[in-house]
Amino acid sequence: MTFVDLSFVVFLVAVAILYYVFPRNYRWVVLLAGSLTFFYLNSGYLLLVLLGTTIFTYLIARRIQAISDAGKQEAARKRLAGADKKRIKLQTKKKCKPYLVFGVLVDLGVLLYLKYYNFFAENANVLLASQNVHLPHLNLLLPIGISFYTLQAIAYMTDVYRGKIQADTNIAKFTLFMSYFPQIVQGPIPRHKQLANQLYEGHSFDYVRLCHGCQLMIWGWFQKLVIADRIAVPVDLIYNNYSDYHGLMVFLAAAGYGLQVYADFQGGMDIARGFSQVLGIELELNFNQPYFSRSIEEFWRRWHMTLGSWMRDYVFYPLSLSKSFVGISRVSRKVLGGFVGKRLPPIMAMFIVYFLVGFWHGAEWKYIAYGVWNGVFIVAGILLPEAYQKICDVLHIRRDSFGWRAFQVLRTFCLCTLGRLFSRGTDLTAAVQMFKSIGTEWWDVAFLLDGTLKTLGLDAANWILLIACIVGLYFIDSLHERGVHIRESIDRQHIVFRWVIYLLAIDAIIIFGIYGPGYDSATFIYEQF
Amino acid sequence: MDEILEILNEVRPDVDFENEKLLIDDNILDSFDIITIVSEFNEAFDIDIDVEDLEPENFNTVAAMKELIDRLQG
């Protein structure tokens, strides 16, 4: 059962009705039952992996909490203050740390084993071929959302360790936090502080919220079924037969994939956020019009924001402030001096983050290349601002002009698009070949008019519809960018006009959604990560 | 306060630190700036700003940063 099955819609309606029928204090039980059912229907007995991780994480966090509380009680009992209180705090942290490290290693170990074992085995076999080492290939099955809920579990334990939250005392409620079905498939990656209490406390029914939630879900399904799955047709054809294409066509396929993954991922998020809003639960925003970004660094602040903030809080910050990096910082300041010396350690940490971002997407070298590609441009943006300023001065470019800003947006779009060759290419070799082929006869634009487009799986009507949808997506994003609240604007319309909009949108999904014979909607792209 | 401003202006000369009140919440400073600033503060004031201190409320204004430094020195 995926987000785009009719059975899922029936499931959502049933959960929502039961949620509001149950007494307020027990509404979380409906969500827990719904979440475990959804997980079981999608991953079968792999539900046990999720439950194992959940119970283990719960116990580790409880242990850390117990040690922290004992430390605080000791400080209070002895009425310690200042340096003495700090000493006790440090001692407590020291006692908690092994549990945190153990917890992170075990949770991460499960993910590494299930998702990355075959990748490591294949590479080890190549590297150690001369030693007659041969690690077997295992047919491992992944539970849905493992890449997401593992990060969620690590964040939870770390936040308890850092004293930012109290560990949960009810394992059933904690299981709901770990398995909440709208967000387990592809995020957003939640923080306990932001989500848990919203799940545990029952919410009252609210008609406006119901309307807003449904509107967001309809928009999510529209993005997925009408836009993303339609772009996927020519994009898949070109990527899967890349040697038959060259020049601008390959670039457009990469750009098309960028838009596909955007509509697909954001569509999934909107379905998850919309249904949660129906229940009175606000999930974190995962996108903030990323294609309006003026640099790659800004793009990653607006794209998959919860992954970015997770990497910042649990990898970048701790790594940059770790003893080894502080040591590197001291040396680099002496050796390299001012500007570069001060920035070298955080640049190294940044590179590690983007390597991990790439690797998190999948157990293949192409994803690592994708991460490195983004890391390189982010580091260039950090190290070269003076050079950019000089170029602007020489060319008499005003950096606050509309033209310059438009150029920056376009440049960011192009760099992201080229990066998509790595993330979508069938493998790293294919990605490199496609990269090269963009330079081959790039000036050839005849394919736009000579009927070639019709050989890419879409007829003229579908191309027109697709282009209209992309323009529509851009228009809606620009309204959001200007701070327009579209759903509130719809609220102010006459009831007849509102229902005309709803019915037209639903009709559009039914009529224009990509179904076809033996319909099986494309899996959400991020669901596979 | 002057030393703090000197460090901040060196890291991000384009920012009006004296008047900005939401340096983090408005995305004026990014994570890279924060780490660069923290390393400078640690060096200049002989303190250890921990990951747990990297909260928006500690870096949204210059006054908040000063308060953090004072707390860690005390």
Side-chain angles (χ1 to χ4, degrees):
Chain A
M1 181 167 59
T2 73
F3 275 21
V4 289
D5 293 342
L6 195 58
S7 57
F8 181 70
V9 180
V10 176
F11 180 77
L12 290 185
V13 173
V15 171
I17 291 172
L18 284 172
Y19 184 81
Y20 286 117
V21 164
F22 261 61
R24 209 163 157 166
N25 287 347
Y26 296 98
R27 286 179 182 166
W28 66 271
V29 179
V30 175
L31 296 184
L32 176 62
S35 298
L36 296 180
T37 306
F38 178 81
F39 201 96
Y40 181 76
L41 290 173
N42 279 287
S43 289
Y45 69 90
L46 291 174
L47 173 63
L48 295 175
V49 179
L50 169 71
L51 292 178
T53 300
T54 301
I55 295 166
F56 174 76
T57 304
Y58 172 82
L59 292 173
I60 289 286
R62 294 286 304 147
R63 185 75 195 124
I64 293 172
Q65 187 70 60
I67 298 170
S68 298
D69 289 347
K72 278 180 199 158
Q73 280 163 9
E74 191 187 338
R77 200 176 55 245
K78 292 180 180 170
R79 295 182 182 179
L80 299 176
D84 290 333
K85 195 176 173 185
K86 205 173 173 182
R87 182 177 48 78
I88 291 286
K89 197 180 166 189
L90 285 174
Q91 281 174 359
T92 309
K93 287 265 171 227
K94 214 172 173 183
K95 283 184 202 164
C96 291
K97 204 164 190 176
Y99 289 98
L100 175 67
V101 172
F102 180 59
V104 171
L105 286 178
V106 169
D107 281 354
L108 212 51
V110 174
L111 174 68
L112 286 173
Y113 175 67
L114 292 177
K115 186 171 172 181
Y116 298 97
Y117 165 81
N118 285 324
F119 173 79
F120 289 124
E122 281 163 23
N123 285 285
N125 288 342
V126 172
L127 283 172
L128 303 171
S130 57
Q131 312 291 318
N132 275 336
V133 170
H134 183 77
L135 297 169
H137 179 93
L138 302 178
N139 292 319
L140 297 167
L141 294 173
L142 281 176
I144 56 160
I146 187 170
S147 302
F148 294 91
Y149 74 68
T150 303
L151 299 192
Q152 182 181 342
I154 291 171
Y156 170 69
M157 289 184 291
T158 312
D159 284 352
V160 172
Y161 170 79
R162 289 176 181 171
K164 287 185 175 178
I165 54 168
Q166 289 279 316
D168 262 323
T169 51
N170 182 328
I171 194 164
K173 285 185 175 177
F174 181 67
T175 306
L176 168 60
F177 168 68
M178 286 290 289
S179 64
Y180 179 55
F181 74 92
Q183 53 92 39
I184 200 166
V185 181
Q186 49 183 349
I189 301 162
R191 302 291 176 89
H192 189 273
K193 200 175 183 176
Q194 189 270 335
L195 181 65
N197 282 338
Q198 291 196 70
L199 296 175
Y200 305 160
E201 64 194 25
H203 300 271
S204 308
F205 178 80
D206 184 301
Y207 178 71
V208 174
R209 222 175 44 213
L210 171 77
C211 292
H212 282 183
C214 290
Q215 288 164 12
L216 198 55
M217 281 193 282
I218 291 170
W219 174 231
W221 278 310
F222 185 91
Q223 288 173 88
K224 166 66 179 160
L225 290 168
V226 181
I227 306 178
D229 286 1
R230 183 166 269 100
I231 308 180
V233 177
V235 165
D236 285 350
L237 198 95
I238 295 175
Y239 270 97
N240 294 339
N241 304 281
Y242 64 91
S243 53
D244 298 343
Y245 302 96
H246 63 264
L248 185 62
M249 206 169 199
V250 175
F251 181 83
L252 288 179
Y257 179 66
L259 292 174
Q260 180 200 342
V261 77
Y262 179 46
D264 185 291
F265 195 11
Q266 182 171 253
M269 287 300 102
D270 286 346
I271 296 167
R273 288 180 59 233
F275 180 67
S276 297
Q277 281 175 4
V278 169
L279 304 179
I281 295 161
E282 203 59 52
L283 294 182
E284 276 187 81
L285 205 61
N286 224 11
F287 291 94
N288 183 20
Q289 295 81 252
Y291 283 114
F292 285 91
S293 306
R294 289 158 63 186
S295 67
I296 295 274
E297 185 271 327
E298 187 185 351
F299 178 84
W300 280 99
R301 261 192 284 128
R302 288 166 168 249
W303 175 278
H304 204 176
M305 292 151 70
T306 54
L307 176 66
S309 63
W310 191 96
M311 285 287 170
R312 179 196 64 207
D313 292 345
Y314 304 104
V315 181
F316 181 69
Y317 281 161
L319 203 58
S320 300
L321 296 180
S322 65
K323 280 180 187 164
S324 5
F325 272 69
V326 170
I328 294 171
S329 174
R330 287 196 184 114
V331 175
S332 67
R333 279 160 193 254
K334 279 180 196 159
V335 177
L336 301 167
F339 189 80
V340 178
K342 285 177 189 171
R343 285 164 179 78
L344 184 67
I347 283 173
M348 288 164 61
M350 191 73 88
F351 232 99
I352 291 170
V353 164
Y354 279 93
F355 172 86
L356 292 175
V357 166
F359 201 44
W360 176 86
H361 279 81
E364 289 182 64
W365 284 106
K366 64 174 187 170
Y367 290 118
I368 294 174
Y370 176 59
V372 171
W373 170 269
N374 285 290
V376 165
F377 287 103
I378 285 169
V379 169
I382 293 164
L383 286 177
L384 302 173
E386 286 180 17
Y388 293 147
Q389 184 62 53
K390 275 180 190 163
I391 293 170
C392 287
D393 291 346
V394 170
L395 298 173
H396 302 291
I397 294 168
R398 273 183 45 215
R399 299 188 81 171
D400 57 351
S401 64
F402 171 77
W404 175 250
R405 280 187 277 132
F407 165 76
Q408 285 180 307
V409 170
L410 188 66
R411 178 192 61 186
T412 306
F413 179 78
C414 289
L415 291 175
C416 288
T417 292
L418 292 172
R420 297 284 179 205
L421 291 172
F422 294 112
S423 61
R424 174 60 182 85
T426 44
D427 54 33
L428 186 56
T429 316
V432 173
Q433 285 303 323
M434 290 178 82
F435 218 104
K436 284 182 189 167
S437 70
I438 286 179
T440 311
E441 296 180 35
W442 55 267
W443 57 85
D444 178 12
V445 291
F447 70 90
L448 291 170
L449 300 167
D450 66 3
T452 308
L453 292 180
K454 288 185 196 166
T455 65
L456 297 175
L458 296 179
D459 58 18
N462 268 295
W463 275 110
I464 292 168
L465 176 63
L466 178 57
I467 291 164
C469 285
I470 292 171
V471 172
L473 185 61
Y474 174 80
F475 177 68
I476 286 178
D477 266 12
S478 21
L479 289 179
H480 284 146
E481 187 68 2
R482 284 181 215 147
V484 176
H485 299 285
I486 298 171
R487 287 181 289 168
E488 280 79 353
S489 306
I490 294 173
D491 285 346
R492 288 194 288 274
Q493 306 305 317
H494 189 272
I495 187 167
V496 175
F497 185 70
R498 283 206 309 267
W499 276 94
V500 167
I501 294 176
Y502 300 156
L503 293 174
L504 281 177
I506 294 169
D507 277 354
I509 295 169
I510 295 169
I511 297 167
F512 300 128
I514 292 286
Y515 305 103
Y519 162 70
D520 180 19
S521 171
T523 313
F524 278 94
I525 294 168
Y526 267 72
E527 193 178 328
Q528 301 160 60
F529 297 152
Chain B
M1 189 69 104
D2 287 348
E3 200 174 352
I4 295 174
L5 277 170
E6 198 180 312
I7 289 170
L8 294 172
N9 286 323
E10 197 192 326
V11 175
R12 283 292 301 274
D14 56 320
V15 175
D16 179 6
F17 283 101
E18 281 173 275
N19 292 315
E20 291 290 354
K21 300 291 173 216
L22 292 168
L23 289 163
I24 307 298
D25 293 341
D26 283 353
N27 287 321
I28 296 166
L29 294 181
D30 60 24
S31 53
F32 192 88
D33 296 326
I34 293 294
I35 287 299
T36 313
I37 288 165
V38 164
S39 307
E40 291 297 300
F41 283 172
N42 285 346
E43 194 83 2
F45 300 106
D46 194 25
I47 52 174
D48 273 320
I49 297 176
D50 201 29
V51 182
E52 288 150 38
D53 301 314
L54 302 185
E55 291 291 331
E57 57 266 27
N58 288 334
F59 290 88
N60 262 332
T61 62
V62 180
M65 293 184 218
K66 186 178 181 315
E67 209 176 297
L68 173 70
I69 293 167
D70 289 346
R71 182 153 45 87
L72 293 172
Q73 280 179 326

